[in-house]
Amino acid sequence: MNIENILNEGTSILQKNRISNPHLDSEILLCSSIQRDKKYIILNPKKNLNTNELEIFYRLINRRLKGEPIAYLTNKKEFWNDNFFVNKDVLIPRPDTELIIEQVLKIYLKKSQVQVLDIGTGCGCILLSILRERPNFYGTGIDVSKESINISKFNAKQLNLIDRVKFFHSSVDNFIFGKYDLIVSNPPYIKLSNLKYLDKDIVNFEPKLALNGGYDGFSEIRKVINRANILIKKKGKFILEIGFNQKKKVKNLLEKNGYYINKVIKDYGNNDRCIISTKI
Ligand code: GLN
């Protein structure tokens, strides 16, 4: 079978099972199976594939059929300016989370020297993207998942950032190391009872640990705010991603803990998503 045939076959299998972008998914999975880019498969439609490549492709198509996200099948996701290794142990980076990077870049000039802490770092995408943009920043990332720490370290290495970043396997409650000018976090903030309403591709495959915000959706946010209080320097900035309906409560929590609310930013779906505050 050549590239053209196999691409069509992959597309039709996905289409029959109502996967929403069958052709695109088939292309991406073929690129990943033969480790070539899209340009190659477009320019070489008649190139034959060997049995090993075919086997890898069919295995990926089968996983996609069951709803597994493309990022887990290809083990990569683009975020801000870079590609990050991801697997089922970490949340797939979301475009809305790039709002945090945008805000950091607005607040700090290129030459600023800043100690930044990322609480619940996952694949490390927030922290590492910030460090790539700001050469004098030093970063610390923590996560309660050991696998996440392995992945974020791997991503740091890929992006040549190991000299400026440290990752620790720690829950937020136990972390007492250092004082930071900037704390960022995208904690789990989905209410436990709402997890089942998330998209099937999310709820069946992404780690609940990275999504589950407990009975009211605030249990992890509360922990992050309480701990940030101990770890942040005076006048330090605290940037938090929140759920679409959490602005009022999080604002209150922050104010009670001695933060001034600078602004709340809406995401691409026009939902409140990112809250920027300063420790006073
Ligand atoms: N924004 C994610 C979602 O849509 C949730 C991320 C989180 O809980 N931090 O599923």
Side-chain angles (χ1 to χ4, degrees):
M1 281 238 259
N2 65 31
I3 285 185
E4 190 175 21
N5 308 138
I6 188 76
L7 207 51
N8 288 336
E9 177 155 349
T11 304
S12 90
I13 297 173
L14 294 178
Q15 207 158 27
K16 275 192 207 121
N17 287 270
R18 294 177 215 285
I19 300 294
S20 40
N21 297 300
H23 186 68
L24 180 62
D25 286 5
S26 182
E27 266 181 357
I28 296 171
L29 297 179
L30 184 60
C31 290
S32 175
S33 311
I34 62 173
Q35 294 182 21
R36 300 279 193 169
D37 61 6
K38 195 162 159 177
K39 194 163 81 189
Y40 179 87
I41 64 169
I42 291 168
L43 293 177
N44 297 283
K46 303 296 172 202
K47 171 100 173 59
N48 281 316
L49 301 182
N50 63 39
T51 44
N52 184 40
E53 290 168 332
L54 285 173
E55 206 176 296
I56 296 172
F57 179 72
Y58 281 121
R59 221 179 295 142
L60 292 178
I61 288 283
N62 267 322
R63 285 168 67 188
R64 184 68 195 116
L65 275 186
K66 295 181 187 129
E68 188 164 350
I70 285 283
Y72 290 155
L73 300 177
T74 58
N75 289 124
K76 72 172 183 221
K77 180 73 185 177
E78 204 173 314
F79 178 84
W80 198 249
N81 285 331
D82 294 294
N83 271 311
F84 290 84
F85 176 91
V86 293
N87 67 18
K88 61 172 181 27
D89 295 318
V90 289
L91 198 75
I92 300 167
R94 312 287 204 255
D96 293 323
T97 303
E98 293 178 346
L99 290 173
I100 297 183
I101 319 297
E102 251 170 48
Q103 292 307 310
V104 170
L105 301 187
K106 275 192 186 155
I107 297 169
Y108 300 99
L109 299 172
K110 190 111 195 168
K111 57 178 196 293
S112 323
Q113 295 195 6
V114 166
Q115 293 283 346
V116 47
L117 172 68
D118 180 10
I119 301 176
T121 196
C123 70
C125 63
I126 301 176
L127 183 61
L128 298 172
S129 298
I130 293 172
L131 295 186
R132 291 275 274 181
E133 292 278 3
R134 290 290 178 263
N136 297 320
F137 277 34
Y138 278 80
T140 303
I142 63 167
D143 204 291
V144 68
S145 150
K146 179 87 188 99
E147 290 79 15
S148 139
I149 293 305
N150 292 336
I151 292 170
S152 52
K153 281 182 180 167
F154 175 81
N155 282 322
K157 209 167 177 183
Q158 295 288 344
L159 298 171
N160 290 320
L161 289 169
I162 44 170
D163 302 344
R164 289 195 287 129
V165 69
K166 285 193 169 66
F167 289 103
F168 297 102
H169 175 214
S170 169
S171 76
V172 58
D173 299 319
N174 293 326
F175 191 74
I176 46 161
F177 181 73
K179 286 273 178 196
Y180 301 87
D181 307 285
L182 166 66
I183 298 182
V184 293
S185 183
N186 174 17
Y189 52 67
I190 312 281
K191 203 169 151 175
L192 178 62
S193 57
N194 285 343
L195 281 177
K196 57 179 179 291
Y197 302 121
L198 294 176
D199 202 20
K200 286 276 164 292
D201 290 12
I202 299 178
V203 73
N204 290 339
F205 293 94
E206 299 203 65
K208 301 283 184 307
L209 190 64
L211 294 164
N212 181 3
Y215 291 106
D216 64 355
F218 290 92
S219 64
E220 302 307 311
I221 292 184
R222 265 191 297 265
K223 285 188 204 166
V224 170
I225 293 177
N226 286 339
R227 182 56 46 169
N229 247 343
I230 302 169
L231 298 165
I232 201 161
K233 290 184 190 169
K234 216 168 169 192
K235 295 200 181 141
K237 295 280 180 204
F238 186 19
I239 306 183
L240 199 56
E241 180 171 322
I242 56 169
F244 71 97
N245 55 0
Q246 294 179 323
K247 170 169 110 174
K248 202 164 160 228
K249 196 155 170 187
V250 174
K251 257 175 133 175
N252 280 337
L253 276 171
L254 286 167
E255 280 165 354
K256 260 198 229 143
N257 279 280
Y259 291 85
Y260 170 78
I261 310 297
N262 297 93
K263 52 183 169 175
V264 179
I265 313 278
K266 288 188 188 293
D267 66 14
Y268 305 113
N270 213 29
N271 296 309
D272 293 315
R273 188 60 68 199
C274 178
I275 181 159
I276 297 120
S277 60
T278 306
K279 180 74 180 170
I280 42 181

